[in-house]
Every structure is written in C-alpha cells, then in structure tokens.
Amino acid sequence: MSYRTYGDLKTEVLIETDTEGEEFIQVDEVMSYFQDAVNKAAAHIHKLGVEDDYFLTRTQYSLTNGQQTLDMPANIYATKIRGLIYSTSEKTYQITKFKGAGRFSAMADVLQSPTQGAYYKFQIVNDSANAGFKIELYPYSQETTSNCITMHYIREPATIVDDASLVDIPALYRDWE
C-alpha cells in the first residue's frame, strides 16, 4: 500500500472536475476539504473497530524515581490506549488500568503503602483543558529506568499542511489508481 501526496491528489481532482486555474477555488479551501475527508474517513474507521491495524503505533517512556504522571502522545486519538507494557531485563508485564467501583480506594491504598517492586497500574486523568489527558501510575515510580514502558495506541491521521504532505488514508484514493 503506498501513500500519495496531497499535491498529486489535488491536481487529479482539479483536472477531473475541470477546475484547475479557477479563481473561485482557494488553495486553503481545497486543502481543508481534503483534511475534512481524511478526518471523516478516520472517524468511520474508528467506528468500524478496525483501528487496531490501521492507526496502531507505539511510543516509549522512561521513568524517574518518584514520578507518577506520563504525558499522552501528541498524536493520540482521544485516549485510545491499546496497551501499556513494562519491560526491563528483570521482568515484563502489561500495566493494567484500574477499573470498577472500588478503583479509587484501591488507588489510595497503593499510594498509602507502596510495595517495592510492585507491578504498576494506571489511571487516565483530565485535570483541565490546558493540562490535557495524563496517565497516572500507581504506585509512583520507585526507579529511574530508560525506555521501560511501551505504550501501544491509536494515533490521529497526519495533518495536511502542504502539497508534499502524504494523505494518511490510502483508501481515500484506492479507486483512482
């Protein structure tokens, strides 16, 4: 599957609609239509539940002793985390999310008496629009380790910024080839 540039696709559409060189069509307007189409296609893909394959990516986190909060990746779609994996030379496990009615008391218990070497769990918080979504680890990090957490998550489609931008949804132009 190959990706095509916005410039190539824009040229094809303008030729196909016989509108190249028309003054009533503004450059920013065409780009916004393409970006809108990408966003709508991504929303449909998310609704279909196939996003695990289509936009799945990963990032790594390092921990510092006493750290509790991890920033979400800038390109994450909503809070679509598919998995957090802790991995060092000593152990590897999935970091699970606190769930259920008793999760808040369980979180308080972990913070009250953290156990050295305890497996991490997490909770997503959204303290404000300015701060955005964050991941809170329980217990706080009791180590300083590089790249020990891998987050698998669903990303947003790339934004079209110029003619060289790759259109991030090949299915949008599959029928044109």
Side-chain angles (χ1 to χ4, degrees), residues 27-28 30 33 35 39 46 55 57 80 83 89 115 124 139 176:
V27 174
D28 291 345
V30 175
Y33 288 141
Q35 187 64 56
N39 293 343
H46 294 307
F55 292 109
T57 191
K80 298 281 189 177
S89 59
T115 306
I124 297 173
W176 294 346

Side-chain angles (χ1 to χ4, degrees), residues 71-165:
D71 291 331
M72 291 283 195
N75 66 341
I76 193 168
Y77 179 78
T79 58
K80 298 281 189 177
I81 298 172
R82 289 293 179 247
L84 284 174
I85 306 298
Y86 175 88
S87 184
T88 64
S89 59
E90 290 86 39
K91 61 183 166 185
T92 298
Y93 63 90
Q94 182 160 344
I95 301 172
T96 59
K97 186 176 181 180
F98 280 101
K99 294 182 181 178
R103 72 181 183 265
F104 299 111
S105 60
M107 290 163 37
D109 288 345
V110 169
L111 291 180
Q112 189 76 356
S113 56
T115 306
Q116 185 67 29
Y119 284 18
Y120 294 112
K121 292 188 84 168
F122 78 98
Q123 177 69 29
I124 297 173
V125 295
N126 183 8
D127 291 330
S128 71
N130 289 334
F133 289 98
K134 305 281 185 189
I135 298 166
E136 285 186 345
L137 290 178
Y138 292 85
Y140 287 29
S141 173
Q142 297 175 9
E143 62 190 303
T144 298
T145 309
S146 296
N147 297 326
C148 59
I149 296 177
T150 302
M151 176 197 286
H152 299 270
Y153 66 98
I154 305 303
R155 67 174 176 81
E156 292 273 1
T159 302
I160 299 169
V161 294
D162 58 24
D163 282 358
S165 296

